[in-house]
Amino acid sequence: MYLKIAENRLYCRSVVINLRFMLFTIASQVIFEEEIKKSRFQAIAVPVANEQDVKDFLEISKDISTTHQCWAWKIGNNVRFNDDGEPSGTAGRPILATIEGNELSNILVLVNRWYGGVKLGMGGLVRAYGGCAGQCLLLAEKIELIEKKKVSFSCQFNEWAIFQYELNQQQIEFQQDYTATGVDVIALLQIHQIEPLSLKIQDVTRGREQLKMLEEPQYD
């Protein structure tokens, strides 16, 4: 009986640990609007893959009719936020806190404000920006982010058919470059695919080649 309880506790703990490392984003753009003490607030949440996506969206979303355009984004471990003229810490940071509170990544939330003549105070601004962003995210469909890492390896011509078959079987995205001495390969691997491919490379090349990590994780 004690053994079964211990096993169940271990299983539950394992499930919790796995869930903690699951990342989510939103499936598509969502918009939420509300009026707070005569000020109009509009939150727009969009999925983004990189900082260029952020810059592009903020550029096309510029609106000179707004009083403030405050935003926050998170991509992996990277975060940024902007108060756009509101008192420091009252707009961008509450938006970011809402993103992180929903355990989201690869997302940008922009909150536009049209001032209505009534001041909200520091606490009121925090609640307004954070609350509007939160209501917006409640409307969004959340989808799991699959972490991928860009890797590279090389092989000889007579080994390439083996690796090409393996990559295709695992539905791994890859590009190959034929050189004078063999084939250079760049691939995008899910985390669970890294170790098996690394072992395969060492086995086929008899330890001559190794899998190399190229950059920060990417997400699909």
Side-chain angles (χ1 to χ4, degrees):
M1 181 68 176
Y2 174 78
L3 181 59
K4 286 186 177 180
I5 293 173
E7 287 176 347
N8 288 338
R9 285 178 178 171
L10 183 61
Y11 171 75
C12 291
R13 185 180 178 188
S14 175
V15 170
V16 170
I17 290 172
N18 287 335
L19 288 175
R20 283 181 61 192
F21 287 95
M22 291 176 67
L23 292 174
F24 294 87
T25 189
I26 60 175
S28 59
Q29 177 176 311
V30 287
I31 300 175
F32 173 79
E33 291 192 22
E34 65 178 336
E35 184 176 304
I36 302 174
K37 293 185 177 180
K38 297 185 178 181
S39 282
R40 176 186 165 204
F41 288 85
Q42 178 193 64
I44 308 171
V46 292
V48 289
N50 49 54
E51 290 192 41
Q52 189 59 51
D53 285 353
V54 172
K55 292 176 182 177
D56 291 344
F57 184 81
L58 291 177
E59 181 63 30
I60 64 173
S61 299
K62 286 182 178 178
D63 185 345
I64 60 173
S65 73
T66 62
T67 313
H68 304 281
Q69 291 193 286
C70 307
W71 49 261
W73 59 262
K74 181 175 183 180
I75 301 174
N77 294 321
N78 298 318
V79 299
R80 297 286 188 280
F81 57 87
N82 189 301
D83 293 314
D84 192 35
E86 294 283 27
S88 179
T90 63
R93 189 175 290 277
I95 298 170
L96 177 61
T98 302
I99 291 173
E100 294 183 326
N102 281 272
E103 298 181 341
L104 295 171
S105 183
N106 290 48
I107 182 173
L108 162 68
V109 179
L110 167 68
V111 180
N112 295 314
R113 181 191 182 190
W114 289 265
Y115 181 57
V118 178
K119 292 184 177 180
L120 301 182
M122 299 280 282
L125 288 172
V126 170
R127 290 188 294 273
Y129 280 99
C132 189
Q135 290 298 316
C136 183
L137 294 180
L138 285 177
L139 301 175
E141 177 190 354
K142 297 176 178 62
I143 56 174
E144 184 181 355
L145 273 172
I146 299 175
E147 182 180 352
K148 292 185 177 181
K149 292 194 174 183
K150 185 178 284 189
V151 302
S152 70
F153 68 92
S154 300
C155 66
Q156 296 177 354
F157 290 116
N158 63 334
E159 299 164 341
W160 172 231
I162 299 172
F163 291 118
Q164 188 175 32
Y165 175 81
E166 185 72 20
L167 294 169
N168 286 327
Q169 282 293 103
Q170 298 297 322
Q171 297 183 323
I172 293 172
E173 301 173 58
F174 68 90
Q175 293 179 333
Q176 75 272 14
D177 181 28
Y178 296 99
T179 68
T181 57
V183 184
D184 293 335
V185 184
I186 294 177
L188 277 176
L189 303 184
Q190 295 182 38
I191 299 302
H192 71 273
Q193 295 172 324
I194 293 175
E195 185 176 359
L197 182 59
S198 179
L199 293 174
K200 186 79 172 181
I201 292 169
Q202 292 180 43
D203 180 46
V204 172
T205 67
R206 298 182 180 180
R208 187 188 68 252
E209 300 291 343
Q210 292 185 342
L211 194 67
K212 302 179 183 69
M213 301 295 171
L214 293 183
E215 59 181 33
E216 289 294 314
Q218 299 183 23
Y219 298 90
D220 281 351

